Amino acid sequence: MTKITISRIETNIGTFRISGIMALTSLMFISVDILGSDGWEALIVDPQTQWHKTLMAACEVHLAEQQNITKA
């Protein structure tokens, strides 16, 4: 398992920062913050919410792109 941090990732529903754990076939969020008008606000990590699904997909794309960059 590898600890990961994404300091800023933009999606169609907002801007997030995340920390998590990545295994070979899975990604688990430890903490998720959304950028609000007053700064970063912590969210409760609930896999049943739509933002969780959207953010998970965005993180998977981001991490795959980062992996391709480091291989090049």
Side-chain angles (χ1 to χ4, degrees):
M1 289 189 203
T2 304
K3 288 186 178 183
I4 61 159
T5 301
I6 301 175
S7 59
R8 188 180 199 98
I9 186 165
E10 295 187 28
T11 71
N12 61 337
I13 58 171
T15 302
F16 298 87
R17 70 177 174 193
I18 66 115
S19 66
I21 298 173
M22 185 173 64
L24 288 176
T25 59
S26 65
L27 173 63
M28 182 177 74
F29 296 140
I30 294 173
S31 68
V32 177
D33 300 314
I34 189 167
L35 185 58
S37 58
D38 291 336
W40 293 105
E41 298 178 37
L43 295 175
I44 295 173
V45 178
D46 179 359
Q48 302 305 313
T49 59
Q50 184 58 44
W51 69 260
H52 187 280
K53 295 171 180 124
T54 300
L55 185 56
M56 183 64 71
C59 287
E60 288 170 352
V61 169
H62 174 81
L63 292 169
E65 288 173 351
Q66 293 300 308
Q67 204 167 36
N68 287 336
I69 289 171
T70 58
K71 288 182 181 178

